[in-house]
Amino acid sequence: MSGFKSDFLRVLDERGFIHQISDPAGLDEAAAKGPISGYIGFDATATSLHAGSLIQIMMLHWMQQTGHHPIALMGGGTSMIGDPSFKDEARKMLTLEDIERNLVGIRKAFSRYLDFDGSAKMLNNADWLTGLNYLGFLRDVGRHFSVNRMLSFDSVKLRLDREQSLSFLEFNYMILQAYDFVELNARHGTVLQMGGSDQWGNIVSGIDLGHRMRDVQLFALTSPLLTTSSGAKMGKTANGAVWLNGDLLSPYEFWQYWRNTEDADVERFLKLYTTLPLSDVARLAALGGSEINEAKKVLASEVTAMLHGREAAEQAAKTARATFEGGGAAEGLPTIEIPAAELAEGLGILNAFVRAGLAPSNGEARRQVKGGGLRVNDEVLTDERLTLTPDSLNAEGVVKLSLGRKKHVLLKAV
RNA sequence: GGGGAAGUGUCCCGAGCGGCAAAGGGGGCGGACUGUAAAUCCGCUGGCUAAGCCUUCGUAGGUUCGAGUCCUACCUUCCCCA
């Protein structure tokens, strides 16, 4: 697979981004000849993307770095309908304002990776999907799709095999995505769609549609579906998603997520999520035993610096050092504020842990006490009836609450 | 349109003769061991003003001292026939 002529594919290949390409030689040729336009689609269902999308964002980043024109396509049109696959939850129809707000939040993170003033664009498929005329769409686009063929795609087949319902709307998702590709080709000369390997079928459908409707040659490039070495999905933790936006997940917590990478993933992640030269990566990956912790710190700092800036990354690293290697209650840990009056009256310790977000309920906090998992100012908590008072404040004027060895929150009286 | 099967702890899979806060996995969390890792072992995995109380088995009713379990209707899904 090596030996690409274009910088673009060579970088992606060397760094492990490539799972499958529809026509490697053809795409390589096109990318070597001059700038090409390529895109990746993203959901607009939340105000922030999470770490699971980071690999896609990095692909766009490299695309721009190697002289091409990346497009981040927001699924504003499809988000308006709502994803029907989770029908247990009262499915909220996102309003235009919701989506607008989400796009603003997402754009903020994106702008750390892409230069939107330069050759990168952020587009919204609502611009062309909302105005579609059903009959016209069926005649122009629908006739090119074979249901027989669509049923044979793994993404569909799996659902059918598991005897799960597949709504007509979901079934159409593939068609809309294919249409997006062709529309982008018409509007911006886009010839490449990238995505996770689970998107392969959808992307190829777009390529087919391009052949039929516009007689153009389009390309697909997918990245490996990202899991950690032990099989967990990227971007999820107990506390929820690893959000990219700082207001949803602090730089410190983001840093911690990467710091806790499994040994076996360090090299892979350094290549995928940082822009460090491969020679540096190789050097760090060669570290064995406990020394690999140094590599993990570099990983965490680099990934955080790219998203939140160098300064925030260093602050996070410093906080971590103080917390884990110094034993103190460093500044920079997540902090919650408690009215001083409330503290004066005495605050139940279980309640305090719930307020700090370290336990979802008093019951859970109680369980953790029983299991020896909670600490107050670094002392293991044994009495669940303990009450916090102004006397509980430590020398720095805060109460440090800990769950396990890794999660710490400071309680501050105001 | 007709006939059959199914929906369980709001993360998932999945047992459940009328006494059930409901077996067992997976996942997750905590502890031990380590290196803020993996693997392994142990504990926990509805809520609360907690020897008690409250809410849970698709939805709504009914039978019963008592219903996840039986009856009725409805919703959803799957299979077969038309």
Side-chain angles (χ1 to χ4, degrees):
Chain A
M1 275 293 272
S2 63
F4 287 115
K5 287 181 293 183
S6 63
D7 290 341
F8 174 52
L9 288 187
R10 188 148 19 81
V11 169
L12 288 195
D13 185 37
E14 285 170 350
R15 291 190 162 261
F17 283 94
I18 297 178
H19 178 251
Q20 231 177 154
I21 301 181
S22 58
D23 172 10
L27 178 59
D28 189 37
E29 185 127 354
K33 209 157 46 181
I36 60 169
S37 166
Y39 85 102
I40 298 178
F42 296 89
D43 260 341
T45 47
T47 56
S48 169
L49 295 173
H50 56 79
S53 303
L54 206 49
I55 183 168
Q56 322 297 353
I57 297 174
M58 290 303 288
M59 286 203 285
L60 291 178
H61 172 81
W62 285 116
M63 191 170 188
Q64 186 166 36
Q65 292 307 305
T66 52
H68 302 281
H69 304 321
I71 295 174
L73 179 67
M74 307 315 305
T78 32
S79 303
M80 273 180 73
I81 299 157
D83 188 343
S85 60
F86 304 103
K87 50 176 75 137
D88 293 356
E89 317 192 3
R91 122 171 163 230
K92 267 182 274 174
M93 298 272 258
L94 290 175
T95 63
L96 273 174
E97 294 85 73
D98 288 336
I99 292 173
E100 226 11 79
R101 203 193 51 232
N102 291 346
L103 291 185
V104 169
I106 291 171
R107 188 186 185 96
K108 208 168 60 188
F110 254 113
S111 60
R112 308 286 317 188
Y113 297 88
L114 297 177
D115 176 11
F116 288 119
D117 296 327
S119 53
K121 286 190 181 71
M122 181 180 253
L123 301 176
N124 185 349
N125 67 6
D127 290 347
W128 54 83
L129 289 185
T130 48
L132 280 181
N133 169 286
Y134 192 58
L135 287 180
F137 184 75
L138 284 182
R139 286 175 57 120
D140 296 339
V141 179
R143 68 198 184 96
H144 295 301
F145 284 86
S146 151
V147 172
N148 311 46
R149 178 112 197 284
M150 296 206 300
L151 289 175
S152 74
F153 283 121
D154 282 348
S155 55
V156 172
K157 217 162 54 180
L158 204 79
R159 284 287 282 275
L160 297 180
D161 288 349
R162 290 177 66 188
E163 301 191 345
Q164 287 174 336
S165 154
L166 179 74
S167 76
F168 186 63
L169 184 66
E170 286 174 285
F171 195 57
N172 273 265
Y173 208 87
M174 185 188 294
I175 296 176
L176 290 177
Q177 191 172 332
Y179 179 70
D180 279 345
F181 198 174
V182 174
E183 187 68 26
L184 280 172
N185 177 260
R187 291 177 177 230
H188 302 283
T190 302
V191 294
L192 170 67
Q193 181 179 178
M194 300 184 285
S197 59
D198 56 330
Q199 294 296 310
W200 180 257
N202 293 344
I203 299 176
V204 168
S205 294
I207 293 178
D208 276 349
L209 189 62
H211 278 304
R212 291 168 206 248
M213 285 183 71
R214 299 177 49 84
D215 199 25
V216 288
Q217 178 60 57
L218 305 175
F219 301 96
L221 189 161
T222 56
S223 59
L225 208 56
L226 243 257
T227 57
T228 68
S229 287
S230 39
K233 270 195 186 141
M234 282 300 291
K236 300 274 179 187
T237 70
N239 295 337
V242 181
W243 300 109
L244 299 187
N245 286 13
D247 50 349
L248 293 177
L249 188 78
S250 72
Y252 167 74
E253 291 168 283
F254 186 77
W255 191 93
Q256 277 298 316
Y257 175 74
W258 296 100
R259 171 61 184 80
N260 285 302
T261 296
E262 295 170 27
D263 287 11
D265 292 324
V266 171
E267 178 173 9
R268 203 155 53 103
F269 286 3
L270 279 168
K271 284 200 227 167
L272 290 171
Y273 296 112
T274 76
T275 52
L276 289 175
L278 291 176
S279 54
D280 288 357
V281 172
R283 182 175 51 76
L284 289 167
L287 296 173
S290 63
E291 286 195 327
I292 200 165
N293 282 322
E294 291 310 311
K296 291 185 189 180
K297 287 177 201 167
V298 172
L299 172 68
S301 291
E302 288 301 315
V303 179
T304 306
M306 207 161 169
L307 177 64
H308 294 297
R310 182 60 61 181
E311 202 177 313
E314 263 156 31
Q315 178 59 43
K318 204 172 108 192
T319 301
R321 209 175 307 128
T323 306
F324 291 102
E325 294 166 30
E331 271 184 49
L333 286 173
T335 303
I336 63 157
E337 298 181 338
I338 293 286
E342 204 171 333
L343 192 61
E345 285 172 22
L347 177 63
I349 192 64
L350 297 178
N351 192 315
F353 271 97
V354 174
R355 292 268 282 274
L358 290 173
S361 67
N362 285 3
E364 174 63 23
R366 216 179 306 259
R367 251 174 249 126
Q368 291 295 0
V369 173
K370 232 177 287 173
L374 299 185
R375 271 168 299 150
V376 178
N377 289 330
D378 299 312
E379 301 269 331
V380 174
L381 177 62
T382 49
D383 177 13
E384 64 183 48
R385 268 183 288 238
L386 183 73
T387 307
L388 292 178
T389 64
D391 292 339
S392 312
L393 298 171
N394 65 11
E396 281 101 50
V398 296
V399 180
K400 181 181 177 189
L401 302 179
S402 311
L403 166 65
R405 287 148 77 199
K406 294 184 190 173
K407 284 169 228 146
H408 310 277
V409 170
L410 300 182
L411 211 78
K412 201 155 122 195
V414 290

